[in-house]
Amino acid sequence: MFEDPFVFIAIAIAIVALVFARKATNEVAELRKRLEAIQAASAIAAAAMPPPLTPFEAFERTLPPAPSGVAPPPIIPDAEPVAPIATPETTEQAAGESAVPPPPLLAPDRGFEETIGTRWVVWIGGLTLALGGFFMVRYSIEAGLIGPGVRVMLGGVFALALLLAGEWTRRKESISAIEATPIANIPAILTAAGTAVAFATVYAAYALYGFLVPATAFILLGLVAMGTLAAALLHGPALAGLGVVGAFATPVLVSSGKPDFWALYIYLAIVTAAAFGLARIRMWRWLAVTTIAFALLWTFPCLQCGPSMVAPHAFHVLVGFVLAVLLVVCGFMFGPPADEGEIEPISSGSLAAYLLGATLIVLNSFHADTAMVVFGLLVAGSILVAWRSDAAAGAVGAAAALVFVVFAEWAVRANPDMLVLPGGPLQGIGPSATDGSVSLHLISATIFAVGFGVAGFLAQGRSAGPIIPVVWSAAGVFTPLALLVALYARVAHLDRSIPFAILAVVLAAAFAAATEILSKREDRPGLQASIALFATGTLAALALALTFALEKGWLTIALALMSAGTAWISTQRPIPFLRALAAILAAIVVMRVADEPRIVGAAVGTTPIFNWLLWGYGIPAASFWAGSILLRRGGDDAPLRTVEAAAILFTVLLAFMEIRHAVNNGDVYRNSAGLTEVALQVCVALAMAIGLERLRLRTGSVIHNAGALLLTVFAGVATLLGLLLFENPMLRWIDIGGVVLNILLLGYALPAVLALLLSYAVAGSRPVAYANTIAAAALVLALAYVTFEIRRLYHGPVISSGPTTGAEQYTYSIAYLAFGVVLLGIGILFNSQRARLASAVVIGLTILKAFLIDMSALTGVYRALSFMCLGLVLVAIGWLYQRILFRRQAAASAAPAAPAGG
């Protein structure tokens, strides 16, 4: 009888299902008997309790006790019952007792055995039944055991058996008045398995074997979907979850070698409609999200079939979008009610998900016309739905972003189609320059730009919430700008284009008009932010106009000016987003410079100072300084610090790049640096550090403080490694020039003066050791300058070679002594302990030189004169300290005590 194993397995599984259902019914009957026993025991306990007091007895107990010697009043047993007198105390007490709910009964903890037996077994059993039905069909296909008609019939019989078993067990539980376990509902799981098998059976009969024409398959699938919907209404979310998972997994488990995408997507459309309808009726948000996720996932594998299958893919996302609009979006058509002025995540997310699917189809099909048309319909639908329902306003932002993705990908795609070039149309292109793809994209871009821009402006004042107008205005500003940039990159190839510059100016005028009109309206939630966005769009469009009309280097300048303009707008409209936008623009300019430090490439020019570096770095630096001043009015925060850092960076880069440009004849990429370049960089770094030290005392800025420290450290490292080591004229061949007016003034004298000024600038505001270290560096540079100048006097422009004569050694000693005496005089005149200590260091070094070098290197009169002069100087120094410095200090300390002594 059961020669076919497929038939035997199917009947066996159906019998097992019925056995399980029968066993569950017996357990329900047992539970019913136990419940009736519990109810009987409760009735016996209630009968054993004493009868309640009559109203007269309750009133008697409220009376005060009788005085001693007075008999209590007699009790009349046959008197009519008298209602107790309600006093405020008794009324309040009764109300309090009635208001206190009884304590809830504690649910007993489920043991491991009960959890396994009542939940896991049921879930695994239901899943096994469903998979059994799927795999029976698949196995019969692969092994060719029985004919297609019998396979379909057995699948239908098995599905019907599961559905009948589920309904029978549900009715038995309803009659017994025993509530099913919510997580392991046996009737629901049996019904879900039957529903999934029914879906698979109808799908196989249509798509695999051709037993059903499309119309019949559509009707049957619709009936199964409606049956699933009705069953889930009775059985709860367990059936809905398993049914949706099984329905979307059916095309994977029941497949053939030649997929029919139209049949697949018609089937998925019916499943999606049933799931959305169930989610709407029962308000199961999770079911709507799950359905959307599965529907979007079914878009990915089918994209691998290439652009030839655009139509069914487009049908899939279009139908899903329409169903989401009808059944999921709150406050629109048949969707749930919506909260006014609030964005509902599932409503917006459902539309955004199908927009993403349409975007993937456009990109995968290489922007086929059909895909572009469907994408445009979904974008327009998102705008229309969001216009009617605030709950879907989030989809507007998603639509704007995906529009930019589509056109940006089209812009960077290698395609020879061009319409506009700086010199006009290409010769010989002819009519092919206006092929359908380019024309469709230009028309679509125009429609999108106008649609988003106009809708973003008209949507102001329509919503009671503050977020909705901002979303509309942001999309209305971003989309036209993004599309303009994408078309400029695609059509003009980022070259100079006057037509695009004109379009940017027109767009800026439109944004400016919107800003002006909105500024005159009565203030409403979100209006100020929208005004700021339109004003920012005006600045952005003007910046783009400059970029399109001028050379590429002006993009850096335009963005920097836009950053300052945004900072100014933030002072007029105190919106945090504008401060962040100013910082973002500054960061973009920094990244632009990192890509090409010359701003305009080799066209930077060779003229010192007045070249493209001055405009490319100077204007952004000034813009960022102005922006930081404006942003500081709103407080010290991350955007302000970003713009301040950009201002310092561009100021430093302007100086350093101009130095490299001037020293290296316009070649800023030269791989070496000479003494002149290092000296100029050290001087600039020290000068900027002095300025930042003064500025940080006024602003208290962390960035100004860090900038001053970094510049000082850079100057110190450049001095040590550059001026004193690698570019030292005593260690390598360098022509230093004339006797006094030479490179030594720039390389050592001027840095020494600047370092001394920096040490005084940080005095009192930095640690003493920090200031003294800078002063010591100034002293070292000064001694180096004196030494190199004497060397230049005896050896000529090149001081790295030649013997040192006795006269030269004597000159060093005399010069060091004179330098020490000058420092001492300055210290005494200005009462500067630091200058006197520097004098002591220099004279100490001179003494060491006299005993270690002069004594052996000098001979004759030079040795005598050296020691004689040193001795005289030391005696004179001692006299100065005794007679002038310390006597002055003693007089100053004794002056306040004189009146007391008198």
Side-chain angles (χ1 to χ4, degrees):
M1 177 178 178
F2 301 117
E3 297 179 355
D4 192 343
F6 177 82
V7 178
F8 176 79
I9 293 173
I11 297 176
I13 293 177
I15 294 173
V16 170
L18 293 176
V19 170
F20 270 106
R22 182 60 182 172
K23 184 178 180 181
T25 304
N26 295 334
E27 291 177 353
V28 168
E30 183 65 25
L31 290 175
R32 181 178 181 182
K33 293 179 180 179
R34 294 183 181 181
L35 180 60
E36 291 175 352
I38 293 173
Q39 292 176 347
S42 300
I44 295 174
M49 292 180 61
L53 298 176
T54 62
F56 184 80
E57 291 173 340
F59 172 74
E60 183 183 19
R61 292 190 178 185
T62 60
L63 295 177
S68 57
V70 178
I75 299 177
I76 305 174
D78 296 332
E80 293 291 330
V82 180
I85 300 176
T87 62
E89 293 79 3
T90 57
T91 304
E92 182 178 359
Q93 180 180 2
E97 292 176 354
S98 62
V100 177
L105 297 177
L106 297 178
D109 295 335
R110 294 181 180 270
F112 178 76
E113 181 181 4
E114 184 178 359
T115 301
I116 294 292
T118 61
R119 296 188 180 191
W120 294 5
V121 170
V122 176
W123 276 94
I124 297 173
L127 181 61
T128 304
L129 290 175
L131 291 177
F134 299 150
F135 289 130
M136 278 195 304
V137 177
R138 182 169 185 173
Y139 175 72
S140 64
I141 293 173
E142 295 174 351
L145 300 177
I146 54 179
V150 179
R151 298 173 198 165
V152 174
M153 181 184 68
L154 289 177
V157 171
F158 183 56
L160 181 61
L162 290 175
L163 292 173
L164 292 176
E167 180 61 19
W168 182 69
T169 54
R170 184 189 68 82
R171 293 190 177 185
K172 287 293 184 179
E173 288 186 356
S174 299
I175 296 173
S176 62
I178 300 295
E179 184 179 1
T181 305
I183 302 179
N185 192 339
I186 294 175
I189 292 176
L190 291 175
T191 307
T195 301
V197 175
F199 270 118
T201 302
V202 177
Y203 176 74
Y206 164 64
L208 301 182
Y209 308 122
F211 292 158
L212 303 175
V213 296
T216 305
F218 182 86
I219 294 173
L220 289 179
L221 287 174
L223 292 176
V224 174
M226 295 304 103
T228 304
L229 174 62
L233 289 173
L234 297 175
H235 292 276
L239 175 61
L242 290 178
V244 167
V245 172
F248 277 102
T250 295
V252 177
L253 300 174
V254 183
S255 59
S256 64
K258 297 180 180 180
D260 186 347
F261 287 105
W262 278 110
L264 170 65
Y265 286 135
I266 290 174
Y267 164 77
L268 292 179
I270 297 172
V271 172
T272 302
F276 280 169
L278 176 60
R280 169 64 186 92
I281 294 174
R282 297 299 295 268
M283 297 300 293
W284 288 338
R285 298 161 61 94
W286 63 269
L287 182 57
V289 174
T290 304
T291 304
I292 294 169
F294 276 120
L296 183 61
L297 287 176
W298 263 112
T299 306
F300 290 95
C302 300
L303 293 176
Q304 300 175 1
C305 298
S308 60
M309 297 299 296
V310 174
H313 297 16
F315 168 79
H316 173 58
V317 296
L318 183 61
V319 170
F321 183 87
V322 172
L323 291 173
V325 169
L326 295 177
L327 299 172
V328 177
V329 176
C330 297
F332 190 86
M333 298 298 288
F334 307 108
D339 295 330
E340 184 180 0
E342 295 185 6
I343 298 177
E344 203 278 317
I346 296 180
S347 300
S348 301
S350 61
L351 303 185
Y354 286 106
L355 279 169
L356 176 60
T359 303
L360 295 176
I361 295 172
V362 171
L363 301 182
N364 187 75
S365 64
F366 304 104
H367 296 252
D369 290 354
T370 303
M372 282 295 299
V373 170
V374 173
F375 177 76
L377 290 176
L378 264 62
V379 172
S382 299
I383 295 176
L384 293 176
V385 174
W387 186 267
R388 293 289 304 275
S389 175
D390 289 344
V396 175
L402 292 175
V403 164
F404 172 69
V405 169
V406 168
F407 280 86
E409 196 271 346
W410 179 70
V412 300
R413 183 183 297 276
N415 195 313
D417 298 332
M418 293 175 291
L419 293 179
V420 180
L421 286 177
L426 289 179
Q427 298 295 328
I429 286 185
S432 62
T434 57
D435 62 273
S437 177
V438 174
S439 300
L440 179 62
H441 280 74
L442 293 179
I443 295 173
S444 301
T446 303
I447 294 174
F448 287 149
V450 174
F452 277 99
V454 173
F457 172 74
L458 296 179
Q460 304 305 311
R462 297 184 70 253
S463 176
I467 302 299
I468 309 299
V470 176
V471 172
W472 279 104
S473 58
V477 172
F478 168 78
T479 306
L481 291 173
L483 290 174
L484 186 62
V485 172
L487 293 178
Y488 169 70
R490 178 71 168 88
V491 175
H493 297 288
L494 300 180
D495 289 330
R496 183 170 175 266
S497 176
I498 299 301
F500 277 101
I502 295 175
L503 288 176
V505 172
V506 172
L507 186 59
F511 286 153
T515 304
E516 183 66 20
I517 294 173
L518 294 177
S519 299
K520 298 179 180 179
R521 291 186 180 179
E522 182 182 357
D523 192 17
R524 291 177 58 89
L527 180 61
Q528 297 302 320
S530 299
I531 293 173
L533 286 171
F534 278 106
T536 305
T538 304
L539 295 176
L542 291 176
L544 290 177
L546 292 175
T547 303
F548 299 158
L550 304 174
E551 299 297 332
K552 294 180 180 179
W554 288 101
L555 176 60
T556 304
I557 297 175
L559 292 175
L561 293 174
M562 183 179 171
S563 176
T566 306
W568 176 77
I569 295 175
S570 70
T571 62
Q572 308 300 315
R573 308 287 188 213
I575 300 170
F577 168 74
L578 293 178
R579 299 175 64 86
L581 179 60
I584 292 172
L585 292 171
I588 292 175
V589 175
V590 172
M591 291 187 291
R592 167 74 177 87
V593 172
D595 178 65
E596 175 52 86
R598 296 176 300 179
I599 308 295
V600 291
V604 67
T606 58
T607 304
I609 307 300
F610 297 100
N611 48 60
W612 242 104
L613 296 175
L614 179 62
W615 320 121
Y617 285 97
I619 296 179
S623 175
F624 294 146
W625 280 113
S628 65
I629 294 173
L630 294 170
L631 290 177
R632 181 162 291 280
R633 299 176 184 176
D636 190 353
D637 54 4
L640 169 64
R641 296 175 183 178
T642 302
V643 176
E644 285 181 340
I648 296 174
L649 177 63
F650 269 77
T651 304
V652 174
L653 290 177
L654 170 63
F656 284 8
M657 294 295 287
E658 286 286 11
I659 290 171
R660 284 197 64 82
H661 181 275
V663 173
N664 299 300
N665 297 322
D667 184 11
V668 297
Y669 286 159
R670 187 174 179 180
N671 198 23
S672 62
L675 177 61
T676 302
E677 183 177 349
V678 175
L680 287 171
Q681 290 177 348
V682 170
C683 292
V684 168
L686 291 172
M688 290 184 179
I690 294 172
L692 287 176
E693 290 288 350
R694 297 296 185 186
L695 183 60
R696 76 176 182 87
L697 296 178
R698 293 197 343 234
T699 63
S701 171
V702 176
I703 299 300
H704 294 162
N705 179 66
L709 291 174
L710 291 175
L711 286 171
T712 303
V713 171
F714 171 82
V717 173
T719 298
L720 180 62
L721 299 180
L723 299 180
L724 301 179
L725 186 59
F726 296 114
E727 302 298 334
N728 190 332
M730 289 282 287
L731 302 179
R732 59 179 300 181
W733 193 96
I734 297 176
D735 187 352
I736 61 177
V739 177
V740 177
L741 299 178
N742 51 42
I743 195 176
L744 298 177
L745 279 173
L746 179 65
Y748 298 93
L750 184 57
V753 174
L754 291 173
L756 181 63
L757 294 176
L758 179 59
S759 68
Y760 280 101
V762 301
S765 60
R766 300 278 191 191
V768 176
Y770 183 81
N772 290 340
T773 301
I774 299 175
L779 180 61
V780 171
L781 288 170
L783 287 174
Y785 172 72
V786 173
T787 302
F788 295 158
E789 281 290 0
I790 294 174
R791 185 80 176 173
R792 167 66 183 82
L793 184 64
Y794 284 93
H795 292 266
V798 180
I799 64 176
S800 58
S801 60
T804 302
T805 63
E808 183 179 347
Q809 286 287 5
Y810 177 72
T811 305
Y812 288 141
S813 299
I814 294 300
Y816 293 164
L817 277 176
F819 185 44
V821 171
V822 170
L823 289 176
L824 179 61
I826 294 174
I828 294 175
L829 182 63
F830 293 99
N831 194 22
S832 172
Q833 185 182 18
R834 183 180 298 171
R836 296 195 301 270
L837 291 176
S839 171
V841 171
V842 173
I843 293 175
L845 292 175
T846 306
I847 294 173
L848 290 176
K849 179 180 180 298
F851 285 95
L852 297 178
I853 298 177
D854 294 354
M855 186 174 291
S856 59
L858 296 180
T859 59
V861 66
Y862 288 117
R863 179 189 297 176
L865 289 175
S866 175
F867 279 86
M868 290 173 59
C869 290
L870 178 60
L872 290 174
V873 169
L874 292 176
V875 172
I877 290 173
W879 181 83
L880 288 173
Y881 271 90
Q882 292 177 9
R883 298 291 181 177
I884 298 178
L885 182 62
F886 285 106
R887 178 175 293 182
R888 182 189 301 171
Q889 292 180 355
S893 61

